[in-house]
Amino acid sequence: MPGSASVSCLGPWPKDVGIIAMELYFPSQYVEQSELEQFDGVTAGKYTVGLGQARMGFCSDREDINSLCLTVVQRLMERNGLSYDSIGRLEVGTETIIDKSKSVKTVVMQLFEDSGNADVEGIDTTNACYGGTAALFNAVNWVESSSWDGRYALVVAGDIAVYATGSARPTGGAGAVAMLVGPDAPLAFERGLRGTHMKHAYDFYKPDMVSEYPVVDGKLSIECYLSALDRCYSLYRNKIHAHWQRDGSEKLFSLEDFGFLVFHSPYCKLVQKSLARLMLNDFLSDPCSNTESGPFAGLDAFRDVRPEETYFDRDVEKAFMKASSDLFERKTKASLLVSNQNGNMYTPSVYGCLASLIALHTPAQIAGQRVGVFSYGSGFAATLYSLRVTQDHTPGSSLDKLVSSLSDLKARLESRKKVSPAVFSENMKLREETHHLASYVPRSSVEDLFPGTWYLNRVDDKHRREYARRPLDDDLSAEPERVRSTTATAQNIPSPAKKIPRIPAAVPESVVKN
């Protein structure tokens, strides 16, 4: 029963704690990056080739961080037939702050009211794009701790990435990811295999409390990202070598020991460069590497380079991107579906990449694989860790259900509405002018949202926000469900899982709502 650990969970820690189910939300409208190049008057290919971006999703003034998180949580619960009383911890990772005190998590708790479950730990976690990973680690640690009561943890990462007019604007995007965390997961954390690097830097930050726009030092940001990647990879390899040595093996770890690798993706080209960077690390750490044939063929001239001097070395970058091209095709390219088509989502970015990887493979293709995950947040904080995919990929298995639940990802991306760069620009201007206004009623049409999307209905004179949900059946004349972010007396939200077909989750039947 929810709220009480089973006998099998009373040992030192539950087995195979990790991600059981995932749900991804992105806005219903996008702009083509090639058209944005023309609109901005830049060289053709600057955004599409230089950044590796095809489309960018964006939010109108109808959506904010609260509505994004409400949408993705309710969608995960409905699609997986989960009861709200089966959740014992809820954490939100975000850097999209609309209140300096009240957490997004407390707003999302309104979805739990009908179940009567208010016994839910966790609040918001903030550090640029790293907050979602910190929230996920907190959830895993809770399940593995003496505080765990046998229920699931729910982790939400969500952000709206917008920039002022200029070179950084095409690296925007928006979205949210929800992840169900518990034992016997198809994506289990490999215990003890994390490399973390944290340091002070002003590479990207948001000092203006009344603006959504960040201050960005582009060159420093890239240097921080790559230096953190170097350090995290070194720490990760040291830890896995220690594990192997305890088992009597002197094998050296390399990128081939990852089945797949996913990265935080500000833009896709940086991810491709990052994989090349890890190959450089492999090359420099193995003094016996063969430069006559194999993956390191022709790279002998780079034997003595110092990594900290190569962040912007075009010769090194070009050589190792070429050398790692096969690795990229096999291990990372599929993970960039959402990043390429929707843009940077900040905290959900790396988990959108993980969802993309799962969506574009069959259960058999990913079963048993080690997935490397690199998460980076400016300021800065970074971790490289690994997930182990379960071996069981039989029909009806937890892995099969997870893959099935994400199989519509490509179709959902294609179902969005394309708008012109001029309309996109008007939306950005509207958000800029109305950000954090009191007594505000959003002007954008609800009809542009996906069915089932929560949206901002109004902001009252005390900055209290009221939300409503677009009906799932497309009947806009129906009375929308409504919630307010400031009161415990909001209308009860109807029980979910009755309006759309249930997709069985990879969860025990004991916690599935009948």
Side-chain angles (χ1 to χ4, degrees), residues 132-296:
T133 293
L136 180 58
F137 287 174
N138 288 344
V140 170
N141 293 343
W142 177 73
V143 174
E144 292 185 341
S145 77
S146 61
S147 298
W148 187 50
D149 64 5
R151 293 182 294 170
Y152 294 113
L154 185 57
V155 176
V156 186
D159 275 306
I160 298 173
V162 289
Y163 295 85
T165 304
S167 59
R169 175 157 281 188
T171 63
V177 171
M179 295 174 280
L180 189 72
V181 174
D184 302 316
L187 303 180
F189 276 73
E190 292 199 287
R191 188 172 288 110
L193 295 183
R194 294 185 196 171
T196 292
H197 186 57
M198 299 198 178
K199 191 176 179 180
H200 168 61
Y202 277 115
D203 57 328
F204 169 111
Y205 54 108
K206 295 179 177 177
D208 187 346
M209 302 303 288
V210 297
S211 172
E212 290 189 285
Y213 298 145
V215 175
V216 185
D217 184 331
K219 185 175 182 180
L220 178 60
S221 185
I222 293 172
E223 181 178 331
C224 289
Y225 184 105
L226 296 178
S227 67
L229 178 62
D230 286 347
R231 184 58 182 159
C232 289
Y233 187 47
S234 176
L235 291 168
Y236 180 91
R237 286 187 306 181
N238 289 341
K239 291 182 180 182
I240 201 167
H241 286 160
H243 280 223
W244 287 350
Q245 286 172 351
R246 285 195 294 269
D247 294 333
S249 173
E250 295 298 325
K251 180 181 181 298
L252 290 177
F253 185 89
S254 74
L255 292 178
E256 287 296 348
D257 292 299
F258 285 123
F260 301 97
L261 282 124
V262 300
F263 300 80
H264 168 58
S265 179
Y267 52 92
C268 292
K269 187 55 70 71
L270 182 59
V271 169
Q272 191 171 359
K273 292 178 180 179
S274 296
L275 187 67
R277 185 83 192 172
L278 293 185
M279 190 173 194
L280 169 65
N281 277 265
D282 276 359
F283 174 70
L284 295 177
S285 66
D286 184 1
C288 300
S289 55
N290 182 4
T291 57
E292 297 298 323
S293 62
F296 299 132

Side-chain angles (χ1 to χ4, degrees), residues 345-357:
M345 299 186 292
Y346 289 167
T347 54
S349 172
V350 68
Y351 300 103
C353 290
L354 180 61
S356 297
L357 178 75

Side-chain angles (χ1 to χ4, degrees), residues 329-341:
E329 291 289 330
R330 291 188 287 118
K331 297 180 183 292
T332 300
K333 186 176 180 180
S335 71
L336 295 178
L337 171 65
V338 171
S339 181
N340 173 264
Q341 294 291 307

Side-chain angles (χ1 to χ4, degrees), residues 18-23 76 80 82 154-155 177-181 185-187 398 401-402 405-406 505-507:
I19 301 169
I20 295 172
M22 296 183 74
E23 186 56 53
L76 180 135
N80 291 281
L82 287 162
L154 185 57
V155 176
V177 171
M179 295 174 280
L180 189 72
V181 174
L187 303 180
S398 61
K401 292 172 181 176
L402 175 62
S405 72
L406 295 171
V507 297

Side-chain angles (χ1 to χ4, degrees), residues 384-459:
L384 175 64
Y385 66 94
S386 56
L387 301 168
R388 178 67 77 173
V389 185
T390 180
Q391 293 279 3
D392 184 6
H393 58 85
T394 56
S397 65
S398 61
L399 179 59
D400 180 63
K401 292 172 181 176
L402 175 62
V403 173
S404 295
S405 72
L406 295 171
S407 62
D408 65 346
L409 195 52
K410 203 168 184 179
R412 286 167 53 196
L413 285 165
E414 289 302 320
S415 72
R416 297 173 299 165
K417 175 185 177 182
K418 172 185 169 182
V419 303
S420 69
V423 171
F424 164 70
S425 182
E426 290 169 4
N427 273 269
M428 292 300 99
K429 188 172 186 296
L430 178 61
R431 289 189 66 90
E432 182 178 343
E433 292 173 346
T434 61
H435 176 66
H436 214 265
L437 286 183
S439 303
Y440 179 66
V441 177
R443 306 171 198 171
S444 301
S445 173
V446 175
E447 294 183 27
D448 292 332
L449 303 173
F450 285 129
T453 300
W454 285 97
Y455 59 89
L456 179 63
N457 194 51
R458 62 185 283 267
V459 184

